[in-house]
Amino acid sequence: MKASFVPQGVYEDIINIVGQWKVVDMKSLSEMCNYEVGYHNLLKKVRKLEAHGLVKGILLGRKNKHIYLTDKGLKFTGHDYTYEICDENLTHDLIVSRVLKELLKNDSFMNGRMFHQISGDQLLPDAETSVRKGKDIFRLALEVELTQKSQNRVKEKYRRYATGSVFTYGVFITNKETLFKTYRRFLEEMKEDIQEAIVLILDKQMTATKFNYEKSECFYLGRELSFRSLFGDEKG
């Protein structure tokens, strides 16, 4: 009987990286890999994991390959969760991953995690991170909004972030101006103590491959602000 394949070494590293980020493009995987392997060698190892049914690959664009874990692959991770990838949420998950990665490139941001690693106050944001501003550290829940939700659903999320004890702010990020304006209207209709806990961000160019927070439009407590003034240094 042929022995089943058990990922070890670089294979295990690949599995854990993909498990952390849920969906990973090959370039990012190469940058995050803890082993000194060339890109083409890494690609061969990913293909072996695909052949054993531990990961699946999808091409976004002609050459932009992304991989994610299968249920079989998930069993080799240390994460205590399961999830399913489908066409409807693939783009969303890729954008969440991109947003978090770009924020973590900023020295003020730290400890980023994707949604499947988060639990607290029964709130499950798309991702979370912490930001240091001066001597203070704020914990941010990140919500990537690509389709507009009902008014009741959005306002309930606002309330839960405002009354919860885990996150300092709920940060809602979108690439659609109409959605941004609608969520802003919803927020302005709520009490000030709720408004104090919510930040809205619009980056019209946000995609699975780019998120330019520095040029984004931000809204907080009735004011349009720059990202730097909200989350940058005290001089920002």
Side-chain angles (χ1 to χ4, degrees):
M1 180 181 292
K2 186 177 180 180
S4 59
F5 175 73
V6 177
Q8 296 179 334
V10 65
Y11 295 103
E12 185 178 16
D13 194 42
I14 293 169
I15 290 287
N16 286 328
I17 292 170
V18 180
Q20 177 185 359
W21 291 99
K22 191 169 181 181
V23 186
V24 181
D25 64 277
M26 288 301 302
K27 182 176 182 295
S28 295
L29 178 62
S30 178
E31 293 171 351
M32 291 186 285
C33 185
N34 293 311
Y35 289 79
E36 293 291 334
V37 294
Y39 183 84
H40 292 291
N41 191 15
L42 183 65
L43 190 58
K44 287 181 181 179
K45 295 185 183 304
V46 167
R47 287 172 180 158
K48 184 172 182 177
L49 290 171
E50 286 183 276
H52 284 279
L54 302 184
V55 303
K56 285 187 178 180
I58 184 171
L59 285 176
L60 298 179
R62 298 180 64 182
K63 296 181 179 179
N64 198 8
K65 182 172 183 174
H66 292 70
I67 60 172
Y68 56 90
L69 296 183
T70 63
D71 286 342
K72 183 178 179 181
L74 266 172
K75 296 176 182 178
F76 292 98
T77 72
H79 299 300
D80 183 21
Y81 64 88
T82 58
Y83 56 78
E84 291 290 336
I85 291 281
C86 60
D87 291 343
E88 299 89 72
N89 62 27
L90 179 59
T91 298
H92 175 269
D93 294 340
L94 284 168
I95 292 177
V96 173
S97 175
R98 175 56 53 194
V99 166
L100 184 56
K101 287 172 185 171
E102 293 303 319
L103 288 176
L104 290 175
K105 291 178 182 178
N106 185 311
D107 290 339
S108 296
F109 285 80
M110 66 201 92
N111 304 325
R113 297 192 299 172
M114 292 286 282
F115 67 97
H116 52 262
Q117 300 172 291
I118 303 168
S119 63
D121 276 6
Q122 296 183 325
L123 287 168
L124 293 173
D126 293 326
E128 73 159 291
T129 186
S130 296
V131 61
R132 181 186 295 107
K133 186 166 183 178
K135 296 181 180 180
D136 298 316
I137 294 178
F138 303 108
R139 190 171 176 184
L140 311 180
L142 306 178
E143 296 276 7
V144 172
E145 299 288 310
L146 303 180
T147 58
Q148 186 171 315
K149 312 299 190 302
S150 70
Q151 179 173 179
N152 288 341
R153 184 175 173 184
V154 174
K155 286 186 173 181
E156 179 58 24
K157 274 197 172 185
Y158 289 167
R159 290 189 190 95
R160 292 177 69 187
Y161 282 123
T163 58
S165 59
V166 174
F167 300 105
T168 316
Y169 299 104
V171 182
F172 291 73
I173 307 166
T174 186
N175 53 10
K176 295 179 173 60
E177 187 170 10
T178 53
L179 188 152
F180 178 76
K181 289 181 177 179
T182 300
Y183 279 32
R184 171 176 169 170
R185 176 169 56 82
F186 292 165
L187 185 58
E188 289 177 317
E189 293 171 355
M190 306 194 77
K191 295 179 180 178
E192 185 170 335
D193 61 334
I194 294 178
Q195 294 188 41
E196 287 176 350
I198 304 299
V199 177
L200 305 180
I201 295 178
L202 171 66
D203 175 12
K204 297 177 184 177
Q205 307 303 317
M206 180 177 68
T207 66
T209 58
K210 57 186 176 181
F211 173 57
N212 192 340
Y213 58 84
E214 292 181 338
K215 293 185 178 180
S216 65
E217 301 175 37
C218 302
F219 181 79
Y220 179 64
L221 276 179
R223 298 173 58 199
E224 293 183 5
L225 302 165
S226 68
F227 186 91
R228 179 180 291 273
S229 66
L230 277 174
F231 301 117
D233 58 36
E234 293 300 313
K235 298 178 181 178

